[in-house]
Structure formats: structure tokens, C-alpha cells
Amino acid sequence: MRKTLVLFAVLLAPGLAAAPIPVPAPAPDKLDPAARAAAAKGFAQQLLHVVEQVAEQYVRPVSREDLVHAALVGLYEAARKPVPRDLKARIQRNATRSISTEWGPLPVPPPGSDDPLLGIVREAHRQVAAAESLQGQNALLVCSQGMARALDPYSAVVTAEEQQRALGLDAECDGVGLEVKPTGTIEIVHLGGPAQRAGLRPGDVITHLDGKAFASAPADLREVVRNRRPPVGLAPLVPSEKDLVPEAELAPVRVTFRRPAEKKARTAVLQPTRFRPETVLGVRRHADGCWDYWFDKKKRIAHVRIATLARGTADELRAVLAELSEVKLNGLVLDLRWCPGGYLNEAVDVAEMFLGEGTVATVKSRAREATVYRSTNYGKFRGFPLVVLVNGETLGGAELIAAALQDHGRAVVVGQRTRGKASVQTPLALGPPGVALKLTSGTFVRPSGKNLHRFPASKIDDEWGVVPDEGGELRLSADLGKQLRQWWLDLSLRPGASRERLTLDDPGADPQRQTALGALREPPGRKVRAQAR
């Protein structure tokens, strides 16, 4: 069974997290001297244990002294204390001495001596222990954040909820499909949920719930509307009584909201329910809210968009392709623009859906042998031409898909060069439930063996990302690219029964899609072809 790995800024990978580190005693500054010393020693052991894991699992070699220095700099800065000028020198002098902790089998220190690095970390903790912002587990989290800043842009300390919300990787949602700030401003509307079907949009401001001002509405009602969910994936969950309330007993919520630039308030009645946010999108919605994937039904040309690679996205896409194939699919535009990636397994499953036998991708890391993901000949969709549409916001697993289809000659790639984010993240648990250090632990390469990841030192002429095929590149200005993304979001959010006219109702409003459709008719620089079933 494949391990679950994540290809972008999310790491909820059950089974990969390290065992939680015990929580140290809170408020060490209020303890007696012996207890403070014990708390400082426990903190030092915890931190050096995390340092050891990072040094072993990070994608590139990184020295332990650099990690300890970055961690302690973060600690002093959080306490608003000056960083000792000799801190780095002291760490480097003592780095040759081994780290000894009770958390795992680490190198043995010289006989009869204490680990000097433990002493340095203990002293730093003693100097900042009184800071209110560093009580309890906060000191360890701050140090981990400091280490992450010294690594790469994709390593970070994150909560499970933040990760789920970042890419919409929840398999299911409970509630009305909204993410709302405490002020009532809507941040996210989940596609396919009650709020989206009712026409709510990001930026709308909820003013009342069931006739009561949002701020003074019952707390449980605000939570239902804000779609709050407990962290998932990094710690076992114990359902509360509220979680066990049968869906049928959840009453509808009357939501009053205002849209910017509109004077009159709007009202919608939302029925809380359990639903799976949409990740495979089409061209327009039918009146019932379901997607129509046909761009040109007469010529049997479809346009399918992948919003993110969440759990179940591959199965969702397979069902769509099976339905399209029943009435003879003559061409497909697979749109991966603005897809931020997601789960590795989903990316591999999407790619191999269109391929015969062969390599899909290879994941390389320092901590383990390379893992090769291969495709078989079973259950494929290869009887039609395929064009893949990408841009500079195509990342991670979406790049894996585009690269695999390009390398195997299954598809022509059209659009703009992708981001070059071909790294894999692994979570290291930090103690508090649902909080982890998201650590870049590996990279994946194309089936051809060529590099896909853009490293900090990579140049524009180096191999990274997925470059459109000859004649298939269509660059857009930053402003037009941003506008185009908003247009597609507006179309995705529009309820099926709405009569609102949108820019993308004009087929020619998206020049990149027009280029992709042209590639199906006259392939740019290479042949777009169907493959034998």
C-alpha cells in the first residue's frame, strides 16, 4: 500500500508523523529553581531531538549547528531579547560533541561529560523563560519556526486545520460550506456546499444569523456557519456530543449578508449537511448545480478542470471521464492552471489514468531509497487526443501529472511554464495535537529522469518545471492572469439556476483555453494523438 505523501503546502499524512513529544510543564518561570532547571533540560532534550530528526530527514544535508542556531535565534527574537553575539561561535565549538537525549538512540557523548549543546540550549531557555509568549509548548514551536525559516519556503510549522483549509483537502465537510472570520467576513466558499448553491461569495459579510446580529448570535450557531472542524490526521479525535448529533436534527440557518458595492442586504436559508467539496470542475453548471464538461458537445470536445488533488479526486475524475467516454469523447483539455497540488497518490492515479505501462514519477530522498511509481494498462482513457493546460500557479502534484503526460507523448502541454515545486513534505509531530513541522523530505523527478524542482540557485535556463510544447506557450501579463483566475472562480461559484451573466460565458474570453483548443485541432510542434486502448 502506498504511503501518503503531500506535494505542496500541506502535510496531513496519517502514519508518517513522529510520536508526539511529551508536553513540558507550563510557566517554568514560576517554578522553584530545581523545577526550572528540570524544565529547561526537558526543553533542551526536546529541541535537540527535533534537530536530529530534521538533520536526518531534510531533503538536503544540513548541519545540526546551523539548525540549533536558527532555532535559538527564533527563541530570542520571540522573547524580544538580543541574540548573544557569540551564540553561533559557541554552538560551532561544541557541535563536535554529540547530542544525548532520552528520546532516541543518538551518538554517545564522551564518558563522564554532559552534552555541551544541551547546556547552550538550557542557558538560552533560562534567559527567556519568563517571556509570556514562550510558556508551555510555545518555546518549542517558536524554535521549530526558526529552523523552518532556515530551510526552504515549503517547510513550516502548521496546524492540521490550517493545512486542510490551505488547499481544501478535506474529504468531507460538515456545515454549510463556509470559512468565516470572527467579524463575519466570508473567506472561503466550498464548491458544491449549501452556501455555494445559495450564491454566497468570498468577501460577503454576514450580518445576522436567524435574525440576530452575527456577533451576538449563539456560539454553536456561529460555529456551524463558520464551518469549524477539529484538526484531522495528526492526532486521534474523540467526538464530542455535538459531533454526534444526527444530520437530520441540524436546523436550517437563515443568513443575512451584504455584498460589497450593494446597498441592499441579501438573505439565504442554508441547511447544514455533510458534503464533499468539488475538486473536478467543468465549463458551466446545469440548473441542478451539476457540472457540464462539454466545451463543444457537437464535436465532443470536453474541458475538465482540477481544482486541487484531494482525497478522492482521482475517483471523481474517473467517473467524469467514464461518463464522457460513453458518448464518444473526441478531445479533452485537462486544465491544471491554479492547481496547488495535494496528495501524491492522487496525482499518480490521475496521471496513470491516461497512460499505459511505464514510469509516472520517481520520488528521491536522503532518508530512504528512491520510490518509483509506475502505471499499468488497466482501466485507461487513451482513445482520444489530450491537451494539458498549465500556468505559473500549477504546482506539485499537478506538475507531476503534466510532466508524466508530456514525457510519454500522451498530451501536448499548453500555457505557461509551471512553478517548479516538485518537493514532498513529511510531518514531524511537535507535541500539541494537530501541530507539526512540515519538513521537505524529498523531491520527485520526471519519467524521463529530468529534474522538475526549482531550487533556490536554479536559473531560468536550467531544467525545472514543465515547459509548454513548442508553439503552445501563451504568456499572460500578471494582471490578466489574476483577472482570469477571478473569472474562473466567479464561474465556479455561480449557482446552477443563476441567470447572472459572466465574462467566461464568452468562449473567447480565455485566450489560453483557446490556444489549447487550437492544439487539439492543429497540434503545436508535435502530434496530439489518441493512444490505442
Side-chain angles (χ1 to χ4, degrees):
M1 183 176 181
R2 291 175 181 159
K3 289 185 177 180
T4 302
L5 295 176
V6 187
L7 300 181
F8 185 47
V10 68
L11 55 86
L12 294 182
L16 285 181
I21 299 173
V23 180
D29 59 306
K30 301 186 186 316
L31 302 176
D32 60 65
R36 283 201 300 270
K41 181 178 180 180
F43 165 78
Q45 290 179 320
Q46 288 181 299
L47 177 58
L48 294 182
H49 180 68
V50 174
V51 165
E52 184 70 17
Q53 293 182 79
V54 172
E56 289 180 355
Q57 298 188 39
Y58 188 57
V59 64
R60 299 193 304 274
V62 56
S63 70
R64 288 163 177 77
E65 55 265 36
D66 285 345
L67 292 173
V68 172
H69 180 259
L72 294 185
V73 167
L75 190 69
Y76 281 110
E77 289 178 347
R80 298 186 177 183
K81 289 181 175 290
V83 179
R85 294 182 178 180
D86 65 341
L87 177 63
K88 190 167 188 176
R90 284 190 289 123
I91 291 173
Q92 290 176 337
R93 281 198 306 269
N94 293 296
T96 55
R97 308 283 293 280
S98 56
I99 300 172
S100 175
T101 82
E102 61 189 80
W103 307 111
L106 302 179
V108 179
S113 66
D114 192 10
D115 188 327
L117 282 181
L118 279 172
I120 293 174
V121 177
R122 285 201 306 266
E123 174 62 18
H125 185 269
R126 184 191 65 78
Q127 293 176 6
V128 303
E132 184 177 350
S133 61
L134 297 177
Q135 302 307 308
Q137 280 284 343
N138 289 344
L140 181 63
L141 298 182
V142 163
C143 286
S144 299
Q145 289 169 340
M147 280 191 286
R149 289 196 297 269
L151 299 176
D152 65 271
Y154 305 109
S155 295
V157 174
V158 289
T159 66
E161 184 178 6
E162 288 171 343
Q163 299 166 72
Q164 294 285 39
R165 293 179 67 244
L167 292 184
L169 296 188
D170 288 315
E172 288 186 334
C173 288
D174 290 313
V176 298
L178 290 175
E179 296 287 349
V180 183
K181 294 181 179 179
T183 58
T185 301
I186 297 174
E187 291 184 282
I188 298 173
V189 178
H190 292 282
L191 298 182
Q196 179 270 313
R197 294 196 299 269
L200 278 74
R201 296 178 180 175
D204 291 346
V205 179
I206 297 176
T207 60
H208 293 78
L209 297 176
D210 286 344
K212 295 184 178 181
F214 180 81
S216 59
D220 57 346
L221 189 59
R222 293 200 307 273
E223 293 304 294
V224 168
V225 173
R226 292 174 65 187
N227 210 37
R228 293 287 179 174
R229 294 175 303 281
V232 179
L234 295 179
L237 299 177
V238 179
S240 66
E241 293 183 3
K242 184 174 66 174
D243 295 326
L244 299 177
V245 174
E247 181 179 309
E249 295 183 14
L250 296 176
V253 182
R254 186 170 179 267
V255 178
T256 303
F257 62 97
R258 290 189 178 276
R259 181 156 294 167
E262 292 184 1
K263 295 182 179 180
K264 188 176 180 180
R266 301 189 182 200
T267 300
V269 178
L270 307 180
Q271 173 64 60
T273 187
R274 172 165 290 183
F275 68 97
R276 183 181 182 278
E278 298 168 334
T279 61
V280 179
L281 317 176
V283 177
R284 66 189 68 82
R285 291 184 186 273
H286 295 295
D288 63 358
C290 294
W291 281 108
D292 181 354
Y293 301 95
W294 293 111
F295 175 80
D296 188 333
K297 192 169 184 178
K298 185 176 181 180
K299 294 182 179 180
R300 296 291 189 265
I301 295 176
H303 179 194
V304 176
R305 299 179 288 139
I306 297 182
T308 189
L309 293 163
R311 297 190 191 280
T313 295
D315 290 338
E316 188 178 348
L317 177 62
R318 185 178 296 279
V320 169
L321 294 176
E323 181 180 344
L324 295 174
S325 298
E326 286 182 358
V327 290
K328 180 61 176 174
L329 181 60
N330 290 330
L332 173 66
V333 174
L334 182 65
D335 196 341
L336 300 177
R337 292 175 298 174
W338 309 292
C339 180
Y343 289 110
L344 171 62
N345 293 352
E346 297 294 333
V348 171
D349 289 347
V350 167
E352 67 173 346
M353 218 175 282
F354 302 97
L355 300 174
E357 291 185 356
T359 299
V360 177
T362 301
V363 175
K364 297 182 177 181
S365 65
R366 293 174 53 238
R368 60 179 67 89
E369 293 184 3
T371 301
V372 181
Y373 292 87
R374 302 184 186 279
S375 175
T376 68
N377 275 322
Y378 176 75
K380 305 300 179 173
F381 297 95
R382 292 184 287 161
F384 52 84
L386 176 64
V387 171
V388 175
L389 191 52
V390 299
N391 65 6
E393 294 182 70
T394 302
L395 291 92
E399 294 182 272
L400 181 154
I401 296 167
L405 299 181
Q406 186 180 55
D407 282 1
H408 284 283
R410 175 63 181 93
V412 161
V413 176
V414 170
Q416 294 171 274
R417 190 178 195 176
T418 62
R419 181 73 61 84
K421 193 282 171 186
S423 60
V424 178
Q425 277 69 49
T426 299
L428 300 178
L430 294 177
V435 180
L437 172 59
K438 178 183 65 176
L439 183 69
T440 299
S441 58
T443 59
F444 57 92
V445 298
R446 306 172 63 123
S448 63
K450 292 183 178 181
N451 176 61
L452 193 58
H453 190 66
R454 184 176 188 177
F455 295 97
S458 296
K459 300 178 181 179
I460 193 67
D461 294 330
D462 292 340
E463 288 181 352
W464 55 264
V466 179
V467 179
D469 288 298
E470 182 180 354
E473 184 174 22
L474 180 59
R475 298 182 182 181
L476 303 179
S477 67
D479 288 342
L480 180 55
K482 183 178 180 179
Q483 183 66 72
L484 194 58
R485 179 175 189 171
Q486 185 60 50
W487 287 345
W488 276 112
L489 177 60
D490 292 343
L491 184 142
S492 301
L493 289 169
R494 182 175 62 181
S498 173
R499 296 180 179 273
E500 181 184 11
R501 182 73 180 174
L502 297 176
T503 303
L504 289 177
D505 289 329
D506 174 8
D510 184 346
Q512 289 182 328
R513 179 171 65 174
Q514 292 302 101
T515 301
L517 293 169
L520 284 174
R521 303 183 183 98
E522 297 181 9
R526 60 187 292 183
K527 185 177 182 182
V528 178
R529 56 185 173 84
Q531 292 185 348
R533 293 180 182 274

